[in-house]
Amino acid sequence: MKINQIPLLVLIMGISATFLLLSGFGRVEPKAVDRPNIILIMADDLGFSDLGCYGGEVKTPNLDYLAQNGLRYTQFYNTSRCCPTRAALLTGLYNHPAGIGKMTDDETLPGYRGHLTENTVTLAEVLKSAGYQTGMTGKWHVSNTVVQRTPTNQQAWLNHQQNFGDFSPLDQYPTRRGFDRYFGNIWGVVDFFDPFSLVSGEKPVTSVPKNYYHTDAISDTSVAYIRQFARSAQPFFLYVAETAPHWPLMAPAEDIKKYENTYKSGWDAIRKARYDRMVKLGLIDPKKTGLSERWEPEQSWEANPNKDWDARAMAVHAAMIDRMDQGIGRIIKALRETGELDNTLILFLSDNGASPENCAAYGPGFDRPSQTRDGRQIVYDVKKEVMPGAQTSFVSIGPRWANVSNTPYRLAKAESHEGGIHTPLVAFWPKGIKAKKGGFSQQVGHVMDVMPTLIELTGATYPKTYRGHTITPSTGISLVPSFSGKRGGHQTLFNEHFGARYARSGPWKLVSTSRDTTWQLYNLANDGSEQRNVATQYPDQVQELANRWHEWAKLNTVFPKPQPRKR
């Protein structure tokens, strides 16, 4: 959907014509206090090296523009999966004390409530109290998902063939957590051409146009919000929560065509080319961060019987990122046309590393439809016989391409190794960033740092109590010093997700996987890609960090550990 299709989208959303007025871009009056506008953009399952400005071959000219005129962070971290990262980002806390230790199921255990709990405040609630206009577009995924009691009803709901009401408890919707305006998907997984759990405000969107594409709708609605916000004297905060490039692999044909030959050279060639570009850009020092061994290297590209399918899958992944970047270009254009660009802080990051999941193996159920709205069967193609990209195909890039997306790091989404938790972060703010344009920041940061950063910039107050509840103090550290080229950040960081965990202190990182609780020890100062496990050489360091992890886990309600989630 192009920008000139906004009115049709807005008709569906039920937004008034006044809100959609795109004429008279000037403000009603000057802002009384010259505080920055803030746009926070989060990609979904984007790998560390997927963007052009981080070494990738995907065409991302608009994000490259932000990077070339802002800062790129080389040591920024998430919590390794979609909803836990969103919880930490929105609240300024580690994800367990924010209520989402795993997924969105309520397991009635502290740290595992599956929604943002009463001890938290969101970025929107804090900034709204400081006089900001607040809006959100895209993926919410921090509320308890309502699931029907019978599989038949659940499937009919997912297929848009029956309506069973609200997708989560209404008091957990974005509009109840500080956002004045919201358009997007309450749940996580979506059909990009006809998404489930789509709402405008709190009202379900019951139909979409024939040419609907969700990434475009997120972008175009963001543009509409910006143009309306710019007419007020108040600054604004906009959270753009992309669903791209999360599976299922779905993209417009014209974008896929751009990449139809790009990935035919295979995993090793693309991975090596990315690494070389990262070194040339100055993102990594090859003496300190080598190219880790490829995931399951015994499978060569040359001997791969599914080369055409795999090349196409990665082409669709690239197309989804490309389309997202096009929409970000329209956001930048709207800011420029409304005179807001110079005093708008734009932060772009990813919620976790690229996904190694084979979503086709899951089949329909829970959050995955079996048919389109008009009754066409959706194929979950485990044999790689149907080319990816269309609405009737639910597939993902798989572990080998995820490994490429996360170049040069090991493992992927859901794990606590660098491939799962290391996110790109681009910060752009012409009026406020004084560090060298196009430079890099090595500040060790975390998604929970966005809260104290925005509080410092806006003069907002992080409350001790809110709506009668005691609020857990933020554990984030402001990024503002890095805007002037200073280096600070966290000396220690921790994580746990489905048993995968790490403790980091300075350059030392202790880590284990979700399948093997054996601790591994790495010195990130000279082994940034975790290739040399030195646990046996430094047993005292292992014990110290293990003790610190257990202390953190007790303090942050990681225990008692719940049972594995059943799909």
Short mmCIF file of all heavy atoms in Angstrom, two decimals, residues 94-144:
data_model
loop_
_atom_site.label_atom_id
_atom_site.label_comp_id
_atom_site.label_asym_id
_atom_site.label_seq_id
_atom_site.Cartn_x
_atom_site.Cartn_y
_atom_site.Cartn_z
N TYR A 94 14.50 -5.20 33.59
CA TYR A 94 14.65 -6.53 33.03
C TYR A 94 13.26 -7.12 32.82
O TYR A 94 12.29 -6.75 33.51
CB TYR A 94 15.47 -7.42 33.95
CG TYR A 94 16.96 -7.22 33.86
CD1 TYR A 94 17.68 -6.64 34.92
CD2 TYR A 94 17.67 -7.62 32.74
CE1 TYR A 94 19.06 -6.47 34.84
CE2 TYR A 94 19.05 -7.46 32.65
CZ TYR A 94 19.74 -6.88 33.70
OH TYR A 94 21.10 -6.72 33.62
N ASN A 95 13.14 -8.06 31.88
CA ASN A 95 11.81 -8.51 31.50
C ASN A 95 11.07 -9.32 32.56
O ASN A 95 9.84 -9.26 32.65
CB ASN A 95 11.87 -9.33 30.20
CG ASN A 95 12.84 -10.49 30.26
OD1 ASN A 95 14.05 -10.29 30.36
ND2 ASN A 95 12.34 -11.71 30.22
N HIS A 96 11.78 -10.05 33.43
CA HIS A 96 11.08 -10.84 34.45
C HIS A 96 10.34 -9.94 35.45
O HIS A 96 9.13 -10.15 35.68
CB HIS A 96 12.06 -11.76 35.18
CG HIS A 96 12.59 -12.88 34.35
ND1 HIS A 96 13.64 -12.72 33.47
CD2 HIS A 96 12.21 -14.18 34.25
CE1 HIS A 96 13.90 -13.87 32.87
NE2 HIS A 96 13.04 -14.77 33.31
N PRO A 97 10.99 -8.95 36.06
CA PRO A 97 10.22 -8.08 36.96
C PRO A 97 9.18 -7.24 36.24
O PRO A 97 8.27 -6.68 36.88
CB PRO A 97 11.30 -7.19 37.61
CG PRO A 97 12.50 -7.31 36.76
CD PRO A 97 12.43 -8.67 36.13
N ALA A 98 9.26 -7.14 34.90
CA ALA A 98 8.20 -6.47 34.13
C ALA A 98 7.03 -7.39 33.86
O ALA A 98 6.00 -6.95 33.35
CB ALA A 98 8.76 -5.95 32.81
N GLY A 99 7.17 -8.70 34.16
CA GLY A 99 6.05 -9.63 34.06
C GLY A 99 6.14 -10.65 32.95
O GLY A 99 5.31 -11.56 32.86
N ILE A 100 7.17 -10.54 32.07
CA ILE A 100 7.21 -11.45 30.91
C ILE A 100 8.56 -12.18 30.87
O ILE A 100 9.47 -11.80 30.14
CB ILE A 100 6.93 -10.69 29.60
CG1 ILE A 100 5.58 -9.97 29.70
CG2 ILE A 100 6.92 -11.65 28.41
CD1 ILE A 100 5.15 -9.25 28.45
N GLY A 101 8.67 -13.23 31.67
CA GLY A 101 9.88 -14.03 31.68
C GLY A 101 9.97 -14.97 30.51
O GLY A 101 11.06 -15.35 30.09
N LYS A 102 8.81 -15.36 29.98
CA LYS A 102 8.80 -16.26 28.83
C LYS A 102 7.96 -15.67 27.71
O LYS A 102 8.42 -14.84 26.95
CB LYS A 102 8.28 -17.64 29.24
CG LYS A 102 9.28 -18.43 30.08
CD LYS A 102 8.69 -19.71 30.62
CE LYS A 102 8.42 -20.73 29.54
NZ LYS A 102 7.86 -21.97 30.08
N MET A 103 6.69 -16.09 27.65
CA MET A 103 5.80 -15.64 26.58
C MET A 103 4.59 -14.95 27.21
O MET A 103 4.67 -14.47 28.32
CB MET A 103 5.42 -16.83 25.69
CG MET A 103 6.60 -17.55 25.05
SD MET A 103 7.56 -16.54 23.89
CE MET A 103 6.47 -16.47 22.50
N THR A 104 3.48 -14.94 26.49
CA THR A 104 2.32 -14.18 26.95
C THR A 104 1.27 -15.04 27.68
O THR A 104 0.16 -14.57 27.93
CB THR A 104 1.66 -13.45 25.77
OG1 THR A 104 1.35 -14.39 24.74
CG2 THR A 104 2.58 -12.38 25.22
N ASP A 105 1.61 -16.27 28.02
CA ASP A 105 0.75 -17.09 28.86
C ASP A 105 0.88 -16.61 30.30
O ASP A 105 1.98 -16.30 30.76
CB ASP A 105 1.16 -18.57 28.80
CG ASP A 105 1.29 -19.07 27.38
OD1 ASP A 105 0.32 -18.92 26.62
OD2 ASP A 105 2.36 -19.60 27.03
N ASP A 106 -0.22 -16.58 31.04
CA ASP A 106 -0.17 -16.25 32.45
C ASP A 106 0.05 -17.54 33.24
O ASP A 106 -0.85 -18.36 33.38
CB ASP A 106 -1.46 -15.57 32.89
CG ASP A 106 -1.37 -15.02 34.32
OD1 ASP A 106 -0.40 -15.36 35.03
OD2 ASP A 106 -2.26 -14.25 34.71
N GLU A 107 1.26 -17.70 33.74
CA GLU A 107 1.60 -18.91 34.48
C GLU A 107 1.45 -18.70 35.99
O GLU A 107 1.86 -19.55 36.78
CB GLU A 107 3.00 -19.37 34.12
CG GLU A 107 3.15 -19.64 32.61
CD GLU A 107 4.50 -20.22 32.23
OE1 GLU A 107 5.13 -20.89 33.06
OE2 GLU A 107 4.92 -20.01 31.08
N THR A 108 0.86 -17.55 36.38
CA THR A 108 0.54 -17.21 37.77
C THR A 108 1.74 -17.30 38.69
O THR A 108 1.61 -17.58 39.87
CB THR A 108 -0.62 -18.08 38.31
OG1 THR A 108 -0.19 -19.44 38.40
CG2 THR A 108 -1.86 -17.95 37.43
N LEU A 109 2.92 -17.09 38.14
CA LEU A 109 4.14 -17.05 38.93
C LEU A 109 4.78 -15.68 38.77
O LEU A 109 4.73 -15.10 37.69
CB LEU A 109 5.14 -18.12 38.44
CG LEU A 109 4.76 -19.57 38.70
CD1 LEU A 109 5.67 -20.50 37.90
CD2 LEU A 109 4.88 -19.90 40.19
N PRO A 110 5.37 -15.14 39.84
CA PRO A 110 6.07 -13.87 39.70
C PRO A 110 7.11 -13.96 38.57
O PRO A 110 7.87 -14.90 38.49
CB PRO A 110 6.75 -13.68 41.05
CG PRO A 110 5.93 -14.49 42.00
CD PRO A 110 5.47 -15.68 41.21
N GLY A 111 7.10 -13.00 37.69
CA GLY A 111 8.01 -13.01 36.56
C GLY A 111 7.46 -13.69 35.32
O GLY A 111 8.04 -13.57 34.24
N TYR A 112 6.33 -14.39 35.47
CA TYR A 112 5.77 -15.15 34.35
C TYR A 112 4.27 -14.91 34.21
O TYR A 112 3.51 -15.83 33.91
CB TYR A 112 6.07 -16.64 34.53
CG TYR A 112 7.55 -16.93 34.58
CD1 TYR A 112 8.23 -16.93 35.79
CD2 TYR A 112 8.28 -17.15 33.42
CE1 TYR A 112 9.60 -17.16 35.85
CE2 TYR A 112 9.65 -17.38 33.47
CZ TYR A 112 10.30 -17.38 34.68
OH TYR A 112 11.65 -17.61 34.73
N ARG A 113 3.85 -13.66 34.35
CA ARG A 113 2.43 -13.34 34.24
C ARG A 113 2.00 -13.16 32.79
O ARG A 113 0.82 -13.12 32.49
CB ARG A 113 2.13 -12.06 35.04
CG ARG A 113 2.37 -12.19 36.54
CD ARG A 113 1.61 -13.34 37.17
NE ARG A 113 0.20 -13.32 36.84
CZ ARG A 113 -0.70 -12.57 37.49
NH1 ARG A 113 -0.34 -11.80 38.49
NH2 ARG A 113 -1.96 -12.61 37.12
N GLY A 114 2.96 -12.98 31.87
CA GLY A 114 2.64 -12.88 30.45
C GLY A 114 2.08 -11.54 30.03
O GLY A 114 1.60 -11.41 28.89
N HIS A 115 2.12 -10.54 30.90
CA HIS A 115 1.70 -9.19 30.54
C HIS A 115 2.48 -8.19 31.40
O HIS A 115 3.11 -8.57 32.40
CB HIS A 115 0.19 -9.00 30.73
CG HIS A 115 -0.26 -9.01 32.17
ND1 HIS A 115 -0.51 -10.18 32.86
CD2 HIS A 115 -0.49 -8.00 33.06
CE1 HIS A 115 -0.89 -9.89 34.10
NE2 HIS A 115 -0.87 -8.57 34.24
N LEU A 116 2.44 -6.93 31.01
CA LEU A 116 3.10 -5.89 31.81
C LEU A 116 2.34 -5.75 33.13
O LEU A 116 1.17 -5.40 33.15
CB LEU A 116 3.11 -4.56 31.05
CG LEU A 116 3.85 -4.55 29.72
CD1 LEU A 116 3.81 -3.16 29.11
CD2 LEU A 116 5.29 -5.02 29.87
N THR A 117 3.02 -6.00 34.22
CA THR A 117 2.36 -6.08 35.51
C THR A 117 2.20 -4.69 36.17
O THR A 117 2.74 -3.69 35.69
CB THR A 117 3.13 -7.04 36.43
OG1 THR A 117 4.54 -6.82 36.27
CG2 THR A 117 2.83 -8.48 36.05
N GLU A 118 1.48 -4.67 37.30
CA GLU A 118 1.08 -3.41 37.93
C GLU A 118 2.25 -2.66 38.56
O GLU A 118 2.11 -1.49 38.93
CB GLU A 118 0.01 -3.69 39.00
CG GLU A 118 -1.33 -4.16 38.44
CD GLU A 118 -1.32 -5.62 38.02
OE1 GLU A 118 -0.34 -6.35 38.33
OE2 GLU A 118 -2.29 -6.06 37.36
N ASN A 119 3.38 -3.31 38.70
CA ASN A 119 4.56 -2.66 39.28
C ASN A 119 5.36 -1.89 38.23
O ASN A 119 6.45 -1.40 38.52
CB ASN A 119 5.48 -3.70 39.92
CG ASN A 119 6.00 -4.72 38.92
OD1 ASN A 119 5.21 -5.46 38.34
ND2 ASN A 119 7.29 -4.76 38.69
N THR A 120 4.83 -1.78 37.00
CA THR A 120 5.56 -1.15 35.91
C THR A 120 4.84 0.10 35.41
O THR A 120 3.63 0.25 35.56
CB THR A 120 5.71 -2.11 34.72
OG1 THR A 120 4.42 -2.35 34.13
CG2 THR A 120 6.34 -3.43 35.14
N VAL A 121 5.62 0.98 34.81
CA VAL A 121 5.07 2.07 33.99
C VAL A 121 5.71 1.96 32.62
O VAL A 121 6.86 1.53 32.48
CB VAL A 121 5.35 3.46 34.59
CG1 VAL A 121 4.44 3.74 35.76
CG2 VAL A 121 6.81 3.63 34.97
N THR A 122 4.97 2.35 31.59
CA THR A 122 5.50 2.29 30.23
C THR A 122 6.11 3.63 29.83
O THR A 122 5.84 4.67 30.45
CB THR A 122 4.40 1.93 29.22
OG1 THR A 122 3.48 3.03 29.13
CG2 THR A 122 3.68 0.66 29.61
N LEU A 123 6.89 3.61 28.77
CA LEU A 123 7.43 4.84 28.21
C LEU A 123 6.31 5.83 27.91
O LEU A 123 6.43 7.03 28.17
CB LEU A 123 8.19 4.53 26.91
CG LEU A 123 9.48 3.72 27.03
CD1 LEU A 123 9.93 3.25 25.65
CD2 LEU A 123 10.57 4.55 27.70
N ALA A 124 5.19 5.32 27.38
CA ALA A 124 4.08 6.20 27.02
C ALA A 124 3.46 6.83 28.26
O ALA A 124 3.10 8.01 28.26
CB ALA A 124 3.04 5.41 26.24
N GLU A 125 3.30 6.05 29.32
CA GLU A 125 2.72 6.60 30.54
C GLU A 125 3.61 7.67 31.14
O GLU A 125 3.13 8.73 31.59
CB GLU A 125 2.47 5.46 31.55
CG GLU A 125 1.31 4.56 31.15
CD GLU A 125 1.23 3.28 31.94
OE1 GLU A 125 2.28 2.79 32.44
OE2 GLU A 125 0.11 2.73 32.06
N VAL A 126 4.91 7.43 31.15
CA VAL A 126 5.84 8.40 31.71
C VAL A 126 5.88 9.67 30.87
O VAL A 126 5.81 10.80 31.40
CB VAL A 126 7.25 7.78 31.83
CG1 VAL A 126 8.29 8.84 32.18
CG2 VAL A 126 7.26 6.68 32.89
N LEU A 127 5.97 9.54 29.55
CA LEU A 127 6.07 10.71 28.69
C LEU A 127 4.74 11.46 28.59
O LEU A 127 4.72 12.69 28.49
CB LEU A 127 6.56 10.31 27.31
CG LEU A 127 8.00 9.76 27.26
CD1 LEU A 127 8.40 9.44 25.83
CD2 LEU A 127 8.99 10.73 27.88
N LYS A 128 3.65 10.75 28.65
CA LYS A 128 2.34 11.41 28.63
C LYS A 128 2.19 12.30 29.87
O LYS A 128 1.64 13.41 29.78
CB LYS A 128 1.24 10.36 28.58
CG LYS A 128 -0.16 10.94 28.39
CD LYS A 128 -1.17 9.83 28.17
CE LYS A 128 -2.57 10.41 27.94
NZ LYS A 128 -3.56 9.34 27.66
N SER A 129 2.68 11.82 31.00
CA SER A 129 2.60 12.62 32.23
C SER A 129 3.46 13.87 32.14
O SER A 129 3.26 14.83 32.90
CB SER A 129 3.02 11.78 33.44
OG SER A 129 4.42 11.50 33.40
N ALA A 130 4.43 13.88 31.20
CA ALA A 130 5.29 15.04 31.00
C ALA A 130 4.79 15.92 29.86
O ALA A 130 5.51 16.82 29.41
CB ALA A 130 6.72 14.58 30.71
N GLY A 131 3.58 15.67 29.38
CA GLY A 131 2.98 16.53 28.38
C GLY A 131 3.17 16.10 26.95
O GLY A 131 2.86 16.87 26.03
N TYR A 132 3.65 14.90 26.73
CA TYR A 132 3.86 14.40 25.36
C TYR A 132 2.58 13.80 24.80
O TYR A 132 1.80 13.17 25.52
CB TYR A 132 4.95 13.33 25.34
CG TYR A 132 6.35 13.88 25.15
CD1 TYR A 132 6.97 14.64 26.14
CD2 TYR A 132 7.05 13.65 23.97
CE1 TYR A 132 8.23 15.16 25.97
CE2 TYR A 132 8.33 14.16 23.78
CZ TYR A 132 8.91 14.91 24.78
OH TYR A 132 10.17 15.43 24.59
N GLN A 133 2.36 14.01 23.50
CA GLN A 133 1.37 13.24 22.76
C GLN A 133 1.98 11.85 22.53
O GLN A 133 3.18 11.73 22.28
CB GLN A 133 1.08 13.88 21.41
CG GLN A 133 0.64 15.33 21.48
CD GLN A 133 0.58 15.93 20.09
OE1 GLN A 133 -0.42 15.85 19.40
NE2 GLN A 133 1.68 16.55 19.67
N THR A 134 1.17 10.81 22.57
CA THR A 134 1.71 9.46 22.47
C THR A 134 0.93 8.63 21.45
O THR A 134 -0.29 8.67 21.40
CB THR A 134 1.67 8.73 23.83
OG1 THR A 134 0.31 8.67 24.29
CG2 THR A 134 2.52 9.47 24.86
N GLY A 135 1.66 7.90 20.64
CA GLY A 135 1.03 7.02 19.66
C GLY A 135 1.87 5.78 19.43
O GLY A 135 3.08 5.78 19.67
N MET A 136 1.22 4.74 18.96
CA MET A 136 1.91 3.48 18.66
C MET A 136 1.30 2.85 17.43
O MET A 136 0.08 2.88 17.24
CB MET A 136 1.82 2.51 19.84
CG MET A 136 2.49 1.17 19.56
SD MET A 136 2.31 -0.03 20.89
CE MET A 136 2.94 -1.51 20.04
N THR A 137 2.16 2.24 16.62
CA THR A 137 1.71 1.43 15.49
C THR A 137 2.44 0.10 15.53
O THR A 137 3.61 0.03 15.92
CB THR A 137 2.00 2.12 14.14
OG1 THR A 137 3.40 2.41 14.04
CG2 THR A 137 1.23 3.42 14.02
N GLY A 138 1.76 -0.98 15.14
CA GLY A 138 2.42 -2.27 14.99
C GLY A 138 2.18 -3.24 16.12
O GLY A 138 1.13 -3.27 16.76
N LYS A 139 3.20 -4.03 16.39
CA LYS A 139 3.10 -5.23 17.23
C LYS A 139 3.17 -4.88 18.72
O LYS A 139 4.17 -4.36 19.19
CB LYS A 139 4.23 -6.19 16.84
CG LYS A 139 4.32 -7.47 17.65
CD LYS A 139 5.39 -8.37 17.07
CE LYS A 139 5.65 -9.60 17.90
NZ LYS A 139 6.59 -10.52 17.25
N TRP A 140 2.14 -5.23 19.46
CA TRP A 140 2.09 -5.00 20.91
C TRP A 140 2.76 -6.17 21.64
O TRP A 140 3.83 -6.03 22.17
CB TRP A 140 0.63 -4.84 21.34
CG TRP A 140 0.38 -4.58 22.79
CD1 TRP A 140 -0.45 -5.27 23.61
CD2 TRP A 140 0.92 -3.52 23.60
NE1 TRP A 140 -0.47 -4.73 24.87
CE2 TRP A 140 0.37 -3.66 24.89
CE3 TRP A 140 1.82 -2.49 23.36
CZ2 TRP A 140 0.68 -2.78 25.95
CZ3 TRP A 140 2.14 -1.62 24.40
CH2 TRP A 140 1.58 -1.77 25.68
N HIS A 141 2.12 -7.32 21.70
CA HIS A 141 2.72 -8.58 22.15
C HIS A 141 3.25 -8.54 23.58
O HIS A 141 4.21 -9.23 23.93
CB HIS A 141 3.86 -8.99 21.19
CG HIS A 141 4.12 -10.48 21.18
ND1 HIS A 141 5.32 -11.04 20.80
CD2 HIS A 141 3.31 -11.52 21.50
CE1 HIS A 141 5.25 -12.35 20.89
NE2 HIS A 141 4.05 -12.67 21.31
N VAL A 142 2.62 -7.74 24.44
CA VAL A 142 2.98 -7.75 25.86
C VAL A 142 1.71 -7.82 26.71
O VAL A 142 1.63 -7.23 27.79
CB VAL A 142 3.84 -6.51 26.24
CG1 VAL A 142 5.26 -6.66 25.74
CG2 VAL A 142 3.23 -5.20 25.74
N SER A 143 0.73 -8.56 26.23
CA SER A 143 -0.50 -8.78 26.97
C SER A 143 -0.89 -10.25 26.86
O SER A 143 -0.45 -10.94 25.94
CB SER A 143 -1.63 -7.89 26.44
OG SER A 143 -1.85 -8.11 25.06
N ASN A 144 -1.70 -10.71 27.79
CA ASN A 144 -2.12 -12.11 27.76
C ASN A 144 -2.99 -12.38 26.55
O ASN A 144 -3.99 -11.69 26.31
CB ASN A 144 -2.92 -12.46 29.02
CG ASN A 144 -2.10 -12.40 30.29
OD1 ASN A 144 -2.56 -11.89 31.30
ND2 ASN A 144 -0.88 -12.90 30.26
#
